Amino acid sequence: MKIKIQRFDIVLIFLLVFSFILLSRLFYLQVIKGNYYEKLSKNNYIRIITINPPRGRIFDRNGILLAYDVPYYQLYTLPYLIDKKELPKLKKAFKKYLNIDITSKLEEKIIKGYANKVIIKSKLTDKDIKNFYDHFYEFNGIFIETIPRRNYTEYAKYMPHILGYVGYPSKKELEENPDINADVLIGKSGVEKIYDNYLRGEYGNKAVIVDAKGRIKKILWEKPPKTGKDIYLTIDARLQKLAYESFKESGQKSGSIVLVNPKTYEILTMLNYPIFDIQKFSDGLTKKEWNKLLKNEYKPLFNKTLNGLYPPGSIYKIVVSTAALNEGVVSPTERIFSGGYFKIGKWKYRNWNLAGCGNINITQALEQSCDTYYYQIGLKLGVNKIVEYTYMFGIGKKLNPEIETKVSRVPTPDWKLRKLGESWFLGDTVNLSIGQGFLAITPFDASKILIPVLNNGNVLKPLLLKAYVDKGKIYENEPVVLNKLPIKKDIFSYIKKGLYLVIYGKRGTAKILQDLPVEVAGKTGTAQVYRKPKKNEKIDKWELQNHAWFISFFPYKNPQFSSVVFIEHGEKSSNAVKITKNLIEKMIENGFIK
């Protein structure tokens, strides 16, 4: 009992002492310092200022710098600090000292806003800054802040669609990601968006006392921002430039080039043509410049490689050939008569070469790109098997959802019934077997076709991020095998032989590559866009021309590169072959192929 009384006494004494300290502090704050804090509360505000973190740098695979931050200054206000009655006077000061016209839209933001930051002018000049501080007393509630500005290097201009751009988050983005701040720049597209979590860093804060006129009187505390992580892409900036030059020199208007390492599926180039000025886009375009881009019929802002859907034409015959051999529909040496046309009932399906191909095996069918051969094996396979193998190759799937945004359209009887309300006909299977009809793929999906062929059936994950740096340590991405196709190894040797004959066979469709000092194998494709009422009718309109494709790999015996050249409305596949030849010649000249 005695011990309990002593414990009670100790607790009581502690509570009395604590209460005395608390009351003393309240007396000090409310009585002794009351007038001071009352004055402070009436005439000052405590503001929390967000400090933008510098974003991480972006390099190509060899350490060539592509994107980095430099500081610049911008003028802004917090609307709740602006006395609306003083706004006309403030507008005059802006015009007089900074030559800034406050538009009605900007004025509306200031009047209606409360806590939101309103940017008045970005990229202030030294003269702007001097004039502002010389007449600071006339700009109550107006501030200058330092913001990281994204700079893109000379090599970056060849890859605007890859790199993307940064900007302030939208309302939707803020709702979807609670980790971001309304005042912090984020990636809006491309690599800047895909790897924003690496690049963005962590924003900082500082608390300041601001007087009634919006002038900073004192910094209470500050938490500095953390710079984002540097990243290295799988892209080779020098190859990207060569791809751009090869396409531009062709005179073609629109298209795509994808170049990958087939052993790792690292993306080396991913060109969208035409390009746009990434620096201007990042800094902000004028209305005239923006409208010009939007009205350009070749759609420079559109990422054709990842988002465009186009019929693949005869490059798809590689998938159908693999399926037919593996399913035993045809043997490697079996010959099938393939004439100038093929009939189903009253319907005629023509070969691109009306003379026909004769009795040919599957490697010869690839060599000549014989349509009537594929009509026959396509019907034997059936639509479901063709679709099954298409998905096995990764077409119509996102093998890397980080970078793939659009899924190719792989039609089935159910799809046609659901979308068009029509049944599937044998003619639909015939068209599908040569990469026509309802089938539409992205140029990037075309790069998936050769990967299993060159890796004994292994389907690899496409890679765009080679490495990132965290606290001085480099973390590298390794090649990833997603799955292995249940296809006999020797089947791919027949496919490769057929692709070799496309260049070196007597009836090959890409024989202009024969004089290159490196052996190339590949497949041409001409995808019909508009069916001519008359066979020899001339089409002048660009948008009605056929699409042109050529996919290839080289050197033949030890492939180091696999490429896709796609020309939107490029008329014929030989035009895509010419671009490939020009690119390979440049690669040899610049030491990429020895």
Side-chain angles (χ1 to χ4, degrees):
M1 180 67 77
K2 188 178 179 181
I3 295 172
K4 289 184 179 179
I5 292 170
Q6 286 177 345
R7 285 181 177 172
F8 176 77
D9 290 343
I10 291 168
V11 172
L12 184 60
I13 292 167
F14 173 78
L15 289 173
L16 288 170
V17 170
F18 179 76
S19 299
F20 177 76
I21 294 170
L22 184 61
L23 289 169
S24 298
R25 183 62 180 165
L26 287 172
F27 179 79
Y28 173 78
L29 292 174
Q30 292 183 10
V31 179
I32 298 175
K33 298 290 287 183
N35 291 334
Y36 169 77
Y37 283 109
E38 184 182 2
K39 185 179 178 183
L40 186 67
S41 65
K42 286 180 179 177
N43 297 294
N44 298 278
Y45 303 87
I46 294 178
R47 277 193 52 229
I48 305 297
I49 298 175
T50 300
I51 307 171
N52 250 297
R55 289 177 71 79
R57 295 171 296 177
I58 303 174
F59 297 89
D60 88 330
R61 66 186 297 111
N62 299 306
I64 293 176
L65 183 61
L66 302 173
Y68 62 100
D69 276 2
V70 293
Y72 80 100
Y73 301 92
Q74 68 180 17
L75 207 59
Y76 75 97
T77 185
L78 299 173
Y80 68 84
L81 293 177
I82 300 296
D83 184 346
K84 306 307 182 282
K85 294 177 182 178
E86 295 292 316
L87 196 53
K89 184 180 175 182
L90 194 58
K91 287 170 66 176
K92 287 179 182 178
F94 276 122
K95 181 64 179 176
K96 183 177 180 181
Y97 301 115
L98 300 174
N99 196 28
I100 295 174
D101 289 308
I102 300 297
T103 63
S104 55
K105 189 175 180 181
L106 197 58
E107 187 173 350
E108 186 182 1
K109 281 184 180 180
I110 295 171
I111 292 171
K112 290 186 177 180
Y114 181 73
N116 291 332
K117 179 194 289 186
V118 176
I119 309 300
I120 295 166
K121 184 180 180 181
S122 296
K123 294 178 287 183
L124 296 176
T125 64
D126 291 341
K127 185 180 178 181
D128 289 333
I129 296 168
K130 183 179 184 304
N131 286 344
F132 175 79
Y133 284 119
D134 283 348
H135 304 90
F136 183 65
Y137 56 91
E138 297 207 40
F139 293 102
N140 295 331
I142 310 298
F143 307 94
I144 286 179
E145 67 177 342
T146 307
I147 295 290
R149 172 181 179 262
R150 206 59 165 163
N151 256 31
Y152 296 97
T153 65
E154 181 68 16
Y155 272 109
K157 75 179 186 181
Y158 302 107
M159 55 184 89
H161 302 85
I162 295 175
L163 294 176
Y165 67 99
V166 297
Y168 289 103
S170 64
K171 185 179 178 182
K172 184 182 177 183
E173 286 167 329
L174 288 169
E175 289 171 352
E176 290 174 348
N177 190 348
D179 294 331
I180 60 177
N181 184 292
D183 296 328
V184 173
L185 294 167
I186 64 168
K188 304 290 275 188
S189 72
V191 163
E192 295 280 19
K193 181 178 181 180
I194 296 167
Y195 302 117
D196 188 58
N197 285 340
Y198 290 111
L199 293 165
R200 190 187 337 127
E202 296 179 21
Y203 64 87
N205 296 111
K206 65 179 175 181
V208 297
I209 294 176
V210 181
D211 67 18
K213 293 187 176 181
R215 294 173 295 203
I216 295 175
K217 307 299 287 185
K218 184 179 180 182
I219 297 175
L220 298 176
W221 53 263
E222 185 171 354
K223 177 191 171 188
K226 291 183 180 178
T227 302
K229 299 177 181 69
D230 291 344
I231 65 171
Y232 289 78
L233 304 180
T234 59
I235 297 293
D236 189 308
R238 296 167 301 162
L239 276 175
Q240 182 80 10
K241 182 183 178 184
L242 296 182
Y244 169 80
E245 291 171 349
S246 300
F247 204 103
K248 185 179 181 182
E249 289 166 9
S250 72
Q252 297 295 332
K253 307 298 184 184
S254 175
S256 171
I257 296 178
V258 180
L259 192 67
V260 304
N261 178 343
K263 295 177 181 179
T264 62
Y265 210 168
E266 290 177 302
I267 302 166
L268 303 174
T269 74
M270 192 158 57
L271 174 74
N272 281 276
Y273 192 91
I275 60 175
F276 59 89
D277 190 324
I278 187 173
Q279 192 64 62
K280 271 190 178 181
F281 199 87
S282 180
D283 291 345
L285 298 168
T286 64
K287 190 174 181 180
K288 184 179 179 182
E289 289 169 333
W290 175 247
N291 287 333
K292 186 178 178 182
L293 284 171
L294 287 180
K295 290 176 182 177
N296 188 322
E297 67 175 313
Y298 307 120
K299 298 180 180 178
L301 295 177
F302 183 56
N303 191 328
K304 302 173 182 73
T305 306
L306 293 173
N307 296 327
L309 290 177
Y310 313 93
S314 293
I315 63 171
Y316 187 66
K317 290 172 181 173
I318 296 171
V319 177
V320 178
S321 298
T322 305
L325 288 172
N326 202 50
E327 292 295 321
V329 165
V330 65
S331 73
T333 56
E334 182 183 348
R335 294 179 178 273
I336 298 174
F337 178 75
S338 306
Y341 63 89
F342 178 75
K343 285 188 75 174
I344 300 176
K346 65 177 182 178
W347 302 102
K348 265 188 180 182
Y349 296 88
R350 292 182 174 83
N351 186 45
W352 72 269
N353 180 356
L354 293 178
C357 311
N359 282 302
I360 58 172
N361 60 32
I362 201 158
T363 55
Q364 292 170 316
L366 282 168
E367 172 192 355
Q368 300 177 44
S369 198
C370 187
D371 293 332
T372 48
Y373 178 93
Y374 285 96
Y375 296 153
Q376 296 175 77
I377 66 169
L379 285 174
K380 289 179 182 178
L381 269 171
V383 58
N384 291 332
K385 278 296 175 186
I386 295 174
V387 168
E388 179 186 335
Y389 277 82
T390 302
Y391 283 124
M392 283 168 60
F393 272 72
I395 298 168
K397 290 182 176 180
K398 292 182 181 180
L399 298 184
N400 186 345
E402 275 187 348
I403 61 177
E404 295 180 77
T405 50
K406 194 85 170 181
V407 176
S408 292
R409 184 175 67 228
V410 182
T412 63
D414 287 342
W415 174 88
K416 188 182 179 188
L417 189 63
R418 189 173 67 255
K419 291 289 184 181
L420 305 177
E422 298 176 0
S423 299
W424 187 272
F425 300 111
L426 292 177
D428 293 323
T429 304
V430 162
N431 284 328
L432 180 62
S433 67
I434 61 164
Q436 290 283 173
F438 302 112
L439 178 66
I441 73 171
T442 65
F444 185 76
D445 261 14
S447 73
K448 297 174 181 176
I449 294 174
L450 290 174
I451 298 298
V453 174
L454 301 177
N455 289 283
N456 295 319
N458 284 337
V459 176
L460 305 182
K461 179 182 178 179
L463 300 176
L464 183 57
L465 180 68
K466 187 168 183 64
Y468 68 92
V469 182
D470 189 14
K471 296 176 183 177
K473 187 176 180 182
I474 297 176
Y475 296 86
E476 289 197 53
N477 274 336
E478 297 294 332
V480 178
V481 177
L482 296 174
N483 62 285
K484 187 172 179 65
L485 303 186
I487 295 172
K488 300 164 192 173
K489 187 178 177 180
D490 64 327
I491 286 175
F492 293 120
S493 64
Y494 288 108
I495 299 296
K496 285 186 277 190
K497 182 181 177 183
L499 301 181
Y500 181 83
L501 291 174
V502 169
I503 288 89
Y504 303 99
K506 290 181 180 179
R507 300 182 70 178
T509 54
K511 292 194 286 185
I512 65 166
L513 300 180
Q514 287 181 5
D515 60 357
L516 286 171
V518 59
E519 284 188 317
V520 182
K523 184 71 195 79
T524 53
T526 302
Q528 190 179 66
V529 173
Y530 168 74
R531 188 176 179 84
K532 300 177 186 178
K534 297 177 182 177
K535 183 181 180 296
N536 296 319
E537 179 191 1
K538 187 178 179 182
I539 301 173
D540 294 322
K541 289 185 178 181
W542 173 79
E543 65 271 18
L544 296 180
Q545 300 288 346
N546 294 331
H547 297 312
W549 295 87
F550 185 61
I551 64 174
S552 62
F553 63 92
F554 47 92
Y556 176 70
K557 291 180 180 176
N558 182 25
Q560 304 296 312
F561 304 96
S562 177
S563 76
V564 174
V565 173
F566 165 72
I567 310 173
E568 188 176 20
H569 304 299
E571 190 179 358
K572 51 190 177 182
S573 61
S574 59
N575 289 329
V577 177
K578 289 173 185 175
I579 291 177
T580 304
K581 184 178 184 182
N582 190 10
L583 176 58
I584 293 174
E585 287 172 341
K586 288 179 184 295
M587 290 172 70
I588 294 169
E589 184 182 339
N590 286 272
F592 288 99
I593 303 172
K594 296 174 182 177

